[in-house]
Amino acid sequence: MPVLIRGNEPGQFQMYWLRLAAGGIALFIFLINTMTPLRDAFAVLYVLVVLLIANTCGLRTIIITGCACIVLTFVSFLIKHFGEPFNGAYLRLAVSITAIGVATMLSVRDRRTRDALSEQVRMLAFTHDTVIVRDAEDTIIGWNDGATKLYGWRSDEAIGSKGAVLLHGRNISSRATEELQATGQWSGEITRKRRDGQWIVLDARWIARLDSSGRACGVIEFGADLTEQKQATAERERSEQQYSAIFQAVGFAIYEVDCSIINILAHDATGLSVDTLQKRLEQLSDKPYIRDANHAGAELAGQPTPRDMAGKSISALFIDQKVWIDILCSIVRGKIDYTVETTFTGPEGRQVDVVLRVTRPTADIGFRRILVMALDVTERNDVQMKLRAAHAELAHADRITTLGQLAVSIAHEVNQPLSAITTFANSGQRWLSRTPPNISEALACFDQIAANSSRAAEVITRVRALTTKETSFHTELDLGDLAKEVTLLLRQESAGKQVEIRTYYDPATSLVSGDRIQLQQIIMNVMMNAIQAMSAITDRARILEIHIKPALFPKTGALMSFQDTGPGFNSSTEADLFEPFVTTKAQGMGMGLSICREIACMHGGAIEAANHLPYGAVVTVTLPLPATSNDRPNDAIRS
Ligand code: ADP
C-alpha cells in the first residue's frame, strides 16, 4: 500500500461530527439504560463513546469522557436500582465500569503512541532532507515534502514509479547494496537527477525495511542535498588557490601576521591614553607571529623560503620596533589600513627602504590575519636622490646658461659706467688744466666717476654671486629690493626690446625668508621669459608689471606676480610648463620654470602660471614670511 508521509489525523469538520455523534450515543445509552427495564449490561456500550472520542480528541478529553461515562453508568444504576439488595444489577454495574475504565486506559495509551508517531511523521514530512520509501521491487511507496522540493516531482507523481527510472541514481556501487543487505544500512554520497534534468549530489543514508518475519522488503532513503555545499567548497578552494597564486605572484613582500594577542587590548583601547597603550603594546610587540609569507617576503627578510618565516616575530625579524608599535596602536584603535615609509634591516644588516601598508582584511576574524605588505623602494629612492642631484646640476648649468645669455647686457651695463667714467675723467682733467683750475667742477666729475665705479662693481658682484654654486642660505629679504636689483641687471635687455618694467610693492609686506641668489634666479628667469615673449608684440605697449602683496591662499606669505602684455602661454605647453625640457623656443632649454618651481618648493612656497585676459601671461610666486615680519614698522607704499 502506498505510503504518503503525512499526519493522518481527521479533519476539523470530520472531528466535529464524530464528537457530536459520540455525545448523541452517550445520551442514547443513558436514556435506554435509565428509562427502560432492560436488565443487560447496556452501559458497556459507553465503550463506543470512549473509542469515538479517543479517535478525535486529545488526552484530557479522553480521560474526562471516560470518567463521565462511568458517572452516567453510576447515575443510571442509582435511579433504577437504589435501595435494592445485592443482585445481578451490581454485577452488571461492575462489568460496565470495568469495561469503560479499561477502554479509557487503552485509548489513553493509544493516543499517546499516536501522538508520538504523528510527531515523527510530521518531522519526516517537513524535514528539508528527502525521505523516500521503496519496496523490494524498487517501486517508490513513500515520498516526503523534502523530496518534492528537491527533485521537483510531486508525491502523487513519484509514488508508484521505479526509483532507478525516476531518479537516475549514479555513483551507487554494488557495495552499497551488499552493505545494506549485510548490515541493514548504508550511507554515502550519490548523484541523482532532478525533474529539470539537473544533477545533484546527495549525502544519502539507506535503512532496510523489514517485514513481519524480519525479511528485507525495501529501503528507506534519507538524503541531504550537498550540491550547494559542494559548489561552495569548490568555490572556496578556487578562491583560496587564487588568493595563494596572487599572494605568491604579486611581486612585493606580503606577510600574514597573527596579532590575536592584541585582542585583549582592543576593548579598552579607546579609553587608554596613547602613551599607556603604547607601553602595553611594547610588552606584547614581539608576540604577533608570521603565519605565512610569500617568496618576496622571505627574500626581503633574508630567509631561504616562506616556510622559514612561519612562527617568527615580525618585529624581532626586521621591522623597527617603534614603527611596529605605532602600527599596532593604530590597528588596535580600529584603523583598517596603515601606510608608512620606513626602513627594514635586511640580510647582513642591509638597510632597505620600504613603503609598508598594514591592513586588517576582515574585522570578523579579529586580529588573527593582519596583512603586512612591504614594497621595496630603495631603488626608487636612490633614483630620486640622483634625480635631485642631477636637477641641482642642471639648475646650476641653467644658471650659467642664463648668465651666458645675459653676458651681453652685463657687458653693456659695465660698458656704460666705464664710458661714463672715461668721459668724466676727461672733463675733470680739462677743469683742472684751466687757469685758474675749476676745483668745484673737477670735484663733481670725481663724484660721478666714483658713483659709476660702484655701479660697475655692483654688476660684477651680481655676476660672481650668480655663478657661485652656493647651498641655500636663508636670510630675511625684501622682494621689492630683489626685483629692483634684477631689473637693473636686465636694463639693457629690457631697453633693447622696448619693455617697460613697473614694480609695485609695500615694504611692510614684501619681506620674505629665502636665499638671495636663488630668489634672484626665479625673478630673473620669469622676467627674461616675459621680456622675450613680448619682443614679438608690435600692436601694443610692452609692459611688465611686478606686484608684491600679502598672500593668503593657497599659502600665506608674500605673493609676487609678473604680468606681461605678451601673447600668453601656448595652449599645447600650458599644462606642463613647470616640467623640465618643455619649451617653445628654438634655442630654449625648457629648464627655467622647472628650476623656479624647484626653488619655490624648497622655500616652502609655490609658483603658478596662467594666461591673462584679454592678453598676456601672469606668473605668481608665493614665498614664506620671515618669522619676525609681524614686528616690522609699516613704511609708506613705494612704487
Ligand atoms: P625656456 O625659456 O628655456 O623655454 P622655461 O621653462 O623658462 O624654458 O619656459 C618654458 C616655456 O614657457 C617657454 O618656452 C614659453 O613657451 C613659455 N613661457 C614662459 N614664460 C612665458 C610668458 N611670459 N609668456 C608666454 N610664454 C611663456
Side-chain angles (χ1 to χ4, degrees):
M1 196 184 86
V3 179
L4 282 175
I5 302 176
R6 298 189 181 287
N8 53 356
E9 292 294 316
Q12 288 290 327
F13 183 72
Q14 214 178 342
M15 274 185 4
Y16 172 79
W17 283 110
L18 282 172
R19 283 175 203 168
L20 203 68
I25 293 169
L27 184 66
F28 174 74
I29 296 170
F30 178 74
L31 291 175
I32 299 288
N33 201 22
T34 315
M35 307 298 179
T36 62
L38 280 176
R39 294 199 151 267
D40 301 321
F42 198 74
V44 170
L45 290 179
Y46 280 124
V47 169
L48 282 177
V49 176
V50 172
L51 291 179
L52 269 175
I53 288 297
N55 209 29
T56 58
C57 298
L59 271 181
R60 231 160 66 99
T61 319
I62 297 171
I63 294 167
I64 291 169
T65 307
C67 294
C69 290
I70 290 170
V71 169
L72 287 177
T73 310
F74 207 65
V75 169
S76 299
F77 172 80
L78 287 179
I79 293 170
K80 269 172 76 177
H81 305 288
F82 184 69
E84 283 180 18
F86 184 77
N87 54 23
Y90 285 88
L91 214 56
R92 287 197 297 277
L93 173 69
V95 169
S96 300
I97 287 175
T98 309
I100 296 167
V102 169
T104 306
M105 265 163 35
L106 289 176
S107 297
V108 165
R109 211 175 63 181
D110 178 56
R111 181 77 252 177
R112 280 204 180 115
T113 314
R114 277 194 296 143
D115 281 352
L117 265 177
S118 70
E119 191 71 18
Q120 284 168 9
V121 167
R122 259 206 311 280
M123 270 165 49
L124 285 180
F126 294 111
T127 176
H128 288 296
D129 290 354
T130 61
V131 183
I132 301 170
V133 187
R134 298 196 303 271
D135 66 10
E137 274 76 45
D138 192 35
T139 306
I140 295 171
I141 55 171
W143 184 266
N144 79 337
D145 287 351
T148 301
K149 276 191 203 120
L150 185 63
Y151 290 105
W153 300 103
R154 290 194 315 271
S155 58
D156 58 319
E157 292 169 325
I159 286 171
S161 310
K162 291 286 179 197
V165 177
L166 192 76
L167 306 173
H168 301 272
R170 256 199 211 164
N171 296 352
I172 304 172
S173 65
S174 52
R175 276 189 46 212
T177 331
E178 283 164 19
E179 194 175 319
L180 178 74
Q181 278 165 4
T183 63
Q185 58 182 18
W186 171 84
S187 62
E189 258 178 38
I190 53 174
T191 309
R192 286 257 164 87
K193 203 182 205 175
R194 286 163 44 119
R195 185 179 197 159
D196 59 12
Q198 192 192 324
W199 289 96
I200 47 176
V201 182
L202 293 154
D203 178 19
R205 187 176 172 79
W206 288 353
I207 295 169
R209 293 177 70 228
L210 303 175
D211 62 15
S212 49
S213 56
R215 274 178 308 161
C217 63
V219 63
I220 305 172
E221 176 185 303
F222 300 88
D225 184 10
L226 292 180
T227 318
E228 269 180 27
Q229 195 184 321
K230 285 250 163 197
Q231 280 167 355
T233 311
E235 185 59 34
R236 203 176 50 243
E237 276 168 10
R238 204 177 59 82
S239 76
E240 264 167 21
Q241 274 168 5
Q242 219 170 33
Y243 171 76
S244 140
I246 295 170
F247 191 76
Q248 290 302 342
V250 76
F252 54 82
I254 311 185
Y255 309 95
E256 208 176 83
V257 185
D258 189 326
C259 296
S260 318
I261 190 81
I262 63 173
N263 266 333
I264 46 172
L265 293 176
H267 301 297
D268 43 16
T270 41
L272 293 176
S273 72
V274 177
D275 276 356
T276 321
L277 190 59
Q278 282 186 336
K279 276 204 189 86
R280 294 214 190 154
L281 283 168
E282 264 167 36
Q283 290 153 8
L284 303 173
S285 66
D286 61 332
K287 300 282 187 297
Y289 64 91
I290 298 171
R291 298 169 68 104
D292 200 2
N294 63 358
H295 291 294
E299 202 180 312
L300 189 65
Q303 300 291 319
T305 64
R307 210 167 301 154
D308 297 297
M309 302 287 298
K312 292 198 168 129
S313 153
I314 195 159
S315 68
L317 204 59
F318 55 103
I319 294 187
D320 177 66
Q321 170 86 352
K322 192 180 164 322
V323 174
W324 182 233
I325 287 171
D326 284 348
I327 292 170
L328 291 179
C329 194
S330 92
I331 284 188
V332 85
R333 288 180 146 229
K335 246 188 129 194
I336 300 292
D337 297 310
Y338 187 94
T339 307
V340 63
E341 185 160 347
T342 181
T343 310
F344 274 10
T345 309
E348 291 150 17
R350 189 170 69 92
Q351 294 296 297
V352 187
D353 293 343
V354 287
V355 172
L356 203 64
R357 185 169 175 81
V358 181
T359 177
R360 182 149 71 119
T362 44
D364 55 336
I365 54 166
F367 301 99
R368 204 143 42 87
R369 279 168 183 232
I370 300 291
L371 284 183
V372 178
M373 291 165 270
L375 185 65
D376 185 348
V377 289
T378 318
E379 217 168 291
R380 184 204 71 177
N381 286 357
D382 283 353
V383 170
Q384 266 178 2
M385 232 156 72
K386 283 182 189 147
L387 207 68
R388 242 177 269 141
H391 224 174
E393 289 295 330
L394 265 175
H396 178 61
D398 192 68
R399 208 151 58 199
I400 301 288
T401 311
T402 310
L403 285 172
Q405 288 168 355
L406 291 176
V408 180
S409 54
I410 291 169
H412 271 104
E413 289 294 320
V414 179
N415 245 349
Q416 189 271 331
L418 277 181
S419 53
I421 289 166
T422 313
T423 312
F424 283 115
N426 289 337
S427 315
Q429 258 179 354
R430 277 199 303 276
W431 289 118
L432 285 177
S433 50
R434 282 195 181 187
T435 359
N438 189 334
I439 302 294
S440 65
E441 284 295 340
L443 282 176
C445 285
F446 288 144
D447 282 348
Q448 286 298 330
I449 289 170
N452 277 290
S453 305
S454 315
R455 233 180 87 211
E458 202 180 322
V459 171
I460 291 162
T461 310
R462 297 284 178 281
V463 176
R464 280 179 51 203
L466 284 169
T467 46
T468 315
K469 193 180 172 187
E470 290 174 6
T471 49
S472 292
F473 181 69
H474 284 228
T475 52
E476 186 178 297
L477 299 166
D478 187 325
L479 281 179
D481 290 348
L482 285 187
K484 277 186 160 183
E485 285 167 16
V486 178
T487 307
L488 188 69
L489 283 171
L490 295 177
R491 208 172 67 179
Q492 188 62 34
E493 188 76 19
S494 55
K497 301 243 165 42
Q498 289 98 46
V499 173
E500 188 190 336
I501 300 173
R502 298 174 186 166
T503 309
Y504 305 91
Y505 72 103
D506 173 358
T509 53
S510 62
L511 287 177
V512 292
S513 159
D515 181 294
R516 167 174 288 275
I517 308 292
Q518 289 177 341
L519 295 190
Q520 268 182 346
Q521 208 176 336
I522 293 188
I523 298 170
M524 192 175 283
N525 276 327
V526 175
M527 283 177 71
M528 275 293 285
N529 276 344
I531 293 168
Q532 286 171 359
M534 283 188 287
S535 65
I537 300 300
T538 52
D539 59 343
R540 54 182 179 264
R542 298 169 186 171
I543 300 167
L544 170 58
E545 283 189 1
I546 304 173
H547 292 265
I548 302 165
K549 47 195 173 188
L552 297 172
F553 185 81
K555 294 184 178 188
T556 52
L559 183 143
M560 194 174 195
S561 70
F562 303 81
Q563 184 182 325
D564 62 46
T565 55
F569 296 106
N570 187 321
S571 58
S572 64
T573 50
E574 201 179 343
D576 308 314
L577 281 176
F578 294 100
E579 297 304 322
F581 311 114
V582 172
T583 182
T584 56
K585 299 172 195 165
Q587 304 298 320
M589 275 186 73
M591 285 303 299
L593 290 180
S594 151
I595 290 163
C596 291
R597 183 177 63 176
E598 183 95 346
I599 295 173
C601 291
M602 273 162 59
H603 278 74
I607 183 167
E608 285 169 13
N611 278 330
H612 182 259
L613 289 176
Y615 45 71
V618 195
V619 177
T620 46
V621 182
T622 319
L623 291 162
L625 298 174
T628 55
S629 68
N630 289 344
D631 312 332
R632 290 189 65 88
N634 216 11
D635 296 354
I637 293 182
R638 281 189 267 161
S639 72

